[in-house]
Amino acid sequence: MTIEEIVARKDAVETLYLSMWCVLNSASFKECITQAVALKGHDDVIPCIAGAVAGILYGHKNIPEEWLGSDIDTARIDSNLFNVNNFFRVPFLCSKE
């Protein structure tokens, strides 16, 4: 299915397809979110889903600094990512430093 065919549909499955398309067709967290936001005619669900997956894939250290608030708890994020990784047993997602 092409991106144009997916965008033409607007149900939950296509929302997931679009979100994953953004993740799989990006090389960075910023690129993923930028692509997701650029899908006109869709609400904020696609960037949220894509951002959640991209956050796990690329890690919080790859979120552009200008997008972060000064009070972010990176130790807690690292811990949560490590727990998700252990739960699903997907070793490439993140590693405990």
Side-chain angles (χ1 to χ4, degrees):
M1 194 177 267
T2 68
I3 188 67
E4 290 80 14
E5 292 170 328
I6 297 170
V7 170
R9 300 177 61 168
K10 293 185 180 180
D11 62 26
V13 173
E14 277 68 33
T15 298
L16 290 174
Y17 283 157
L18 285 167
S19 301
M20 294 312 299
W21 184 91
C22 292
V23 172
L24 296 172
N25 290 281
S26 64
S28 69
F29 183 87
K30 184 175 183 175
E31 182 181 0
C32 176
I33 300 304
T34 302
Q35 288 181 143
V37 169
L39 296 172
K40 297 185 187 332
H42 291 273
D43 55 26
D44 59 354
V45 175
I46 294 167
C48 288
I49 295 170
V53 176
I56 292 170
L57 183 64
Y58 298 115
H60 73 82
K61 293 176 184 160
N62 290 304
I63 299 173
E65 196 162 316
E66 63 270 16
W67 292 7
L68 299 174
S70 59
D71 60 346
I72 193 158
D73 185 353
T74 57
R76 183 174 175 199
I77 292 171
D78 281 340
S79 175
N80 288 338
L81 290 174
F82 183 73
N83 291 336
V84 168
N85 182 41
N86 283 338
F87 180 79
F88 289 106
R89 306 227 189 282
V90 182
F92 68 87
L93 289 180
C94 60
S95 62
K96 191 90 167 173
E97 295 181 58

